Amino acid sequence: MKVVTTEKSQVLGVKIAEALDLEIVDTRFSRFPDGELYLRTGDLDGETILVGSVMDSDTLVQLLLLIDACDGSENTLVLPYMGYARQDKKFHEGEPISARAIARALSPGVARVVCVNIHEESVLDHFQVPARNLSLAPAIGEYIAAMPLADPLILAPDAGASAFAAAVAGVGGWNCDELQKTRLSGDEVRITPRAIDAEGREVVIVDDIIATGGTLATAASMLLAQGAAGVHAACVHGVFSGGAYTRLRHAGVKSVVASDTIEGGASRITAAACIAPALTSA
Ligand code: R5P
């Protein structure tokens, strides 16, 4: 068995291969003169672990090409970040269920799928092969435990992230709460923790995805205005679109950390330690 990765998931793929003591396949990526994507893998030996996050159209196409290049019948697809998972239903008439479209496209050619903190667990049902979801909440909790923070308050930015935040907080037995938005007037909102006062506390806001950073930047400014001693942010998938990282730091967030499901400068937590053991039992 060997591990092969797409171009944007190389570092994570190598870490998974090393953790499993498997060979990483030497794969080269380029484009045809007309812009179409091209790849060529080194020797494969049948059963293959494919690692590739879907962040955009190119990463999706590259993953489709890679699946096609792997001709084994027992391939495992590791999808560390599944873009399009947030469009998991028709919010308006005429819209696609994008998560379903991506899951259906990626299913042929693989025997099983392993995801990491997929935005909604129900999306797993759209794959046409068995699919499971892993959580990096313990890894994020361990990262926070190593930060120089005395008794941090773990906050979910909304109710949807509260189970994730509770799992993170469980690692250190820390307080946990979720933020709630109160509308003060037509154009004024106040964001506060639902039950726990943030004054004087080191706060860590945790979420599955930081995309534009809009939610967290607003929350951080308000928490600091309420007297929080410091605000930090930690997420699984650091999309950081449209300057989100600088937006957060400008809003006063002291540190921003993400995992390597999307590889980038803020990827200081590796998903490999969670993914590798799951593959031996997948
Ligand atoms: C939403 O349901 C997700 O869990 C994140 O809270 C959201 O994607 C973050 O988006 P943004 O960074 O653009 O505020």
Side-chain angles (χ1 to χ4, degrees):
M1 194 191 298
K2 296 184 182 179
V3 178
V4 66
T5 86
T6 53
E7 194 174 10
K8 296 274 176 70
S9 296
Q10 295 174 60
V11 179
L12 176 58
V14 167
K15 284 182 181 162
I16 292 170
E18 285 176 348
L20 294 172
D21 203 17
L22 293 175
E23 187 182 321
I24 188 83
V25 178
D26 180 8
T27 307
R28 304 301 168 91
F29 305 92
S30 59
R31 285 180 188 271
F32 288 105
D34 62 1
E36 289 177 353
L37 292 163
Y38 171 86
L39 63 80
R40 185 172 182 188
T41 76
D43 285 344
L44 298 164
D45 63 356
E47 192 177 341
T48 305
I49 295 171
L50 301 91
V51 182
S53 285
V54 171
M55 281 87 79
D56 52 28
S57 309
D58 279 357
T59 47
L60 173 63
V61 171
Q62 219 171 49
L63 193 51
L64 291 170
L65 298 180
L66 198 62
I67 292 170
D68 194 77
C70 297
D71 54 7
S73 60
E74 279 301 314
N75 300 323
T76 299
L77 170 60
V78 177
L79 197 52
Y81 173 63
M82 182 183 174
Y84 292 94
R86 284 181 287 176
Q87 178 79 22
D88 60 341
K89 55 177 172 264
K90 288 177 192 277
F91 295 94
H92 302 285
E93 193 54 41
E95 289 181 346
I97 300 175
S98 308
R100 180 178 64 188
I102 300 298
R104 284 178 175 171
L106 292 173
S107 294
V110 301
R112 62 193 71 79
V113 178
V114 176
C115 298
V116 179
N117 291 98
I118 196 165
H119 186 62
E120 282 294 336
E121 291 251 351
S122 59
V123 171
L124 297 175
D125 297 336
H126 293 308
F127 289 96
Q128 291 154 340
V129 293
R132 61 188 290 209
N133 189 35
L134 307 174
S135 177
L136 293 192
I140 290 180
E142 281 158 27
Y143 183 89
I144 293 169
M147 290 170 74
L149 301 177
D151 192 25
L153 169 60
I154 310 299
L155 287 179
D158 53 37
S162 60
F164 178 71
V168 171
V171 172
W174 304 303
N175 288 152
C176 181
D177 199 354
E178 74 188 46
L179 291 167
Q180 64 176 356
K181 206 182 273 186
T182 312
R183 186 154 293 285
L184 304 176
S185 65
D187 56 2
E188 219 185 339
V189 293
R190 181 175 160 79
I191 298 175
T192 55
R194 189 171 288 279
I196 302 176
D197 195 346
E199 189 176 352
R201 303 288 301 265
E202 289 282 357
V203 171
V204 187
I205 307 176
V206 298
D207 206 352
D208 60 341
I209 302 169
I210 297 177
T212 66
T215 318
L216 262 65
T218 309
S221 305
M222 292 203 168
L223 288 164
L224 290 168
Q226 289 157 36
V231 177
H232 304 260
C235 70
V236 176
H237 311 297
V239 176
F240 301 131
S241 54
Y245 188 86
T246 49
R247 181 179 190 177
L248 289 170
R249 297 301 304 271
H250 187 260
V253 179
K254 274 189 185 168
S255 71
V256 181
V257 66
S259 84
D260 54 3
T261 57
I262 298 174
E263 296 177 1
S267 302
R268 291 195 292 277
I269 297 166
T270 184
C274 171
I275 294 169
L279 292 174
T280 56
S281 61

